[in-house]
Amino acid sequence: MSVEIEKGLISANLPHIFYGGDYNPDQWPEEIWQEDVKLMREAGVNLVSVAIFSWSRLEPRPGEYDFEWLDRVLDLLHENNIKVDLATATASPPPWLAKLYPESLPVTSEGTKLWPGSRQQFCPSSPAYREKAQMLVRQIAQRYKNHPALVMWHINNEYGCHVASCYCDISAQSFRLWLKNRFGTIEALNEAWGTSFWSQRYGEWDEINPPRSAPTFRNPTQQLDFKRFSSDELLSCFEMERDILRQETPNIPITTNFMNFFKPMDYWKWAKQQDVISNDAYPDPSDPSSYLETAMAYDLMRSLGNGKPWVLMEQTTSRVNWRGQNALKKPGQMRMWSYQAVARGANGVMFFQWRASKAGSEKFHGALVPHVGTENSYIWREVSQLGRELGQLDALLDAQVKPEVAILFDWESWWSLELETHPSSLIKQLPQTRSYYEPLLRQNIAVDFVHPDSDFSKYKIMLVPQLYLAKEDLGPRLEKFVSDGGTLVMSFFSGIANQNDHIYLGGYPGPFRKVLGLWIEDFEAFQPDQTSPIAVDEGGQAFSSGLWADFLHLEGAEVLAQFKGDYLAQRPAILRHKFGQGQSYYLATQPDAEGMSWLLEKVCREANLAPSLTTPAGVEAIVREKDGAAFLFLINHNAEIVELKLKQNYRDLLSGNGGSQIRLEPYGVAILVR
Ligand code: GAL
């Protein structure tokens, strides 16, 4: 593997911040292409993703390929010095595949077949789909492997976006193979799935099916394993294509575009197979807090690549077309949100799509070239300005964000946490994770996400919101982290079940009792509007809490805050346990936003962790650094001007202005250097 791939950069071939988007020239007559490349140059576009949905054009009839039009597109782009992120075109099979191989169509858990006429209508386990996809990818790779415009491969598109699992008979067979591989014997499966319950015991492998529609609650471990299988099955489609491309072009990096915190795909597993992490983001401009969620997703993307730069592969210039009412980005907001990605480690700012379609389901979706054309278009003015600016920012390319706080995040635990028949259906992974993330974001403390199996030693603080499912060995690993001087903060309903979703018996939370210095006898799930006051013993701060109350016993932990009022009074609500050189905090309930803010501020202060800068509400401050140089990004999410007084003199890379007084326009951005 080449150095560039290792670093997740395409620096040798395109040593700039990538700027461009999905380019669908096959939707337009050839005359338009000339205008396209002229405009691309004008806007500073240096990279386009080509042929993502072109299978039916590239292979109009089975085995009959038509590449000449694509040859001309790629040559034209090359003549204009625009690089190509070439797609494998397998995301939307042509209608002939369904006609010849109806069994290649996916089936829902209710047994409904999903037909052609939109996109992504393939069963991931279908041999016909896999075979035809491989043939196409081989053709594309062999034809374009030496094309000078090619700098990256774009495999498929947003795997699982519309069809994350298939429940058909072919999928059932694949699922059985996957299970044989996992468990070896049917006895082991019966044990893992707890099939003594409700007479679910299996005698033969072929009695087992995906968790199809059933009279009532389906076996939780069967559901969990099917989620694992479904993520793995699509990943194996990705790997099948990746292996062909790797063989033909060992030096061209490979990506597939992720979708933020997308529940069905275990992105930790997927990320290991990518050369470059890329992501699509469509925050809702009508929701003033959507930037918080986006920041969290961008931090996940950087973390998936272990700190490597990633690419914002898709966003819209103006509006999407798939919400009920599709709000426009306000003037300046597209630019500002683009820098939000760069600030959090992106080396690419791309869009869906280059030219707004005139037909099809996405004709009202924003694009760089809108329906009205470029003259007198505010969108065009904004995208051209951004293209020019990004073209001046090569200095950022290998600068990194280096957080000292990490949030533990695990897809398998997320899946099992949210299965039905739990004490409370109100406990959802992302809101719980956000309850930690947001106060830190508002305090400008940078955060990474980590998988439970990863190395925690570079962090000072580990935050563990609702890790319902945990492997036993995580207990000792967190004990080591804390006893070596780290700080752990963990929330209720963690460490409840093992990997098969079997409860750790004898007092919750089995593996974490020692590090937390407590054990839990029972708990109560609150009703939706139920709250309980809590108060801090020392300091007297008072907060409200919701969702949950643990009934616990101390085994070394001290009580920091207690429930007040009614039958919960005097029970511990927040605890601390000094352990070795570090300490663990435990939340036996969900404190309100002020309570979370208070706790996290205290924890950061105790760990000597300072914010990048203290800013007014709605202004993000985050640092990318390299070789001792720091780039301080200030991002104003407010529709008003914000003035900041800094302790030192800075120079803003974007405006060229210097001084210690910074004025951020509505949705304004500054990148400050010393
Ligand atoms: C993405 C997809 C694009 C386009 C876009 C519209 O999910 O990858 O092809 O459909 O959404 O917002």
Side-chain angles (χ1 to χ4, degrees), residues 183-204:
F183 295 112
T185 64
I186 198 98
E187 291 75 35
L189 175 136
N190 277 310
E191 165 56 27
W193 285 16
T195 55
S196 300
F197 180 80
W198 281 357
S199 179
Q200 294 171 353
R201 181 163 291 275
Y202 294 100
E204 305 289 339

Side-chain angles (χ1 to χ4, degrees), residues 364-378:
F364 289 112
H365 197 287
L368 287 92
V369 181
H371 289 152
V372 292
T374 55
E375 241 174 85
N376 301 322
S377 155
Y378 76 93

Side-chain angles (χ1 to χ4, degrees), residues 22 24 52-53 119 154 157-158 161-162 257-259 280-282 314-316 319-322 352-353 362 365-366:
D22 286 20
N24 297 307
I52 296 179
F53 296 104
R119 63 178 174 185
H154 185 298
N157 191 64
E158 291 191 343
C161 162
H162 310 299
N257 42 349
F258 289 167
M259 292 165 281
D280 300 348
Y282 293 98
E314 290 183 22
Q315 61 169 339
T316 183
R319 68 160 72 79
V320 297
N321 65 303
W322 38 262
F352 175 86
Q353 61 177 331
E362 298 191 314
H365 197 287

Side-chain angles (χ1 to χ4, degrees), residues 570-592:
Q570 315 305 327
R571 288 183 191 270
I574 304 178
L575 299 101
R576 178 174 53 197
H577 185 218
K578 300 226 158 95
F579 188 79
Q581 297 180 46
Q583 49 184 355
S584 305
Y585 286 86
Y586 181 73
L587 304 178
T589 185
Q590 179 64 40
D592 59 14

Side-chain angles (χ1 to χ4, degrees), residues 120-159:
Q120 219 175 70
Q121 73 288 352
F122 62 87
C123 158
S125 306
S126 157
Y129 166 74
R130 286 181 174 235
E131 188 197 319
K132 302 295 170 205
Q134 285 184 75
M135 285 164 62
L136 177 68
V137 175
R138 177 80 64 190
Q139 291 278 338
I140 295 177
Q142 287 180 343
R143 191 164 186 107
Y144 297 111
K145 63 181 177 187
N146 295 319
H147 199 285
L150 175 68
V151 293
M152 183 156 70
W153 289 113
H154 185 298
I155 294 189
N156 203 280
N157 191 64
E158 291 191 343
Y159 274 105

Side-chain angles (χ1 to χ4, degrees), residues 443-518:
Q443 291 166 31
N444 295 320
I445 303 268
V447 170
D448 269 348
F449 288 89
V450 292
H451 183 269
D453 287 342
S454 54
D455 174 14
F456 311 143
S457 60
K458 69 172 165 180
Y459 300 105
K460 287 185 174 165
I461 300 175
M462 291 286 303
L463 307 173
V464 185
Q466 277 71 25
L467 191 74
Y468 163 81
L469 178 151
K471 283 201 291 188
E472 195 138 20
D473 76 320
L474 185 59
R477 295 182 52 243
L478 285 175
E479 284 160 27
K480 171 144 182 26
F481 169 76
V482 176
S483 66
D484 287 351
T487 302
L488 168 71
V489 186
M490 184 179 278
S491 285
F492 63 90
F493 212 41
S494 292
I496 302 293
N498 72 8
Q499 281 200 295
N500 289 326
D501 199 4
H502 292 203
I503 302 292
Y504 286 111
L505 302 177
Y508 319 108
F512 307 136
R513 280 175 61 159
K514 191 163 163 205
V515 72
L516 297 172
L518 53 85

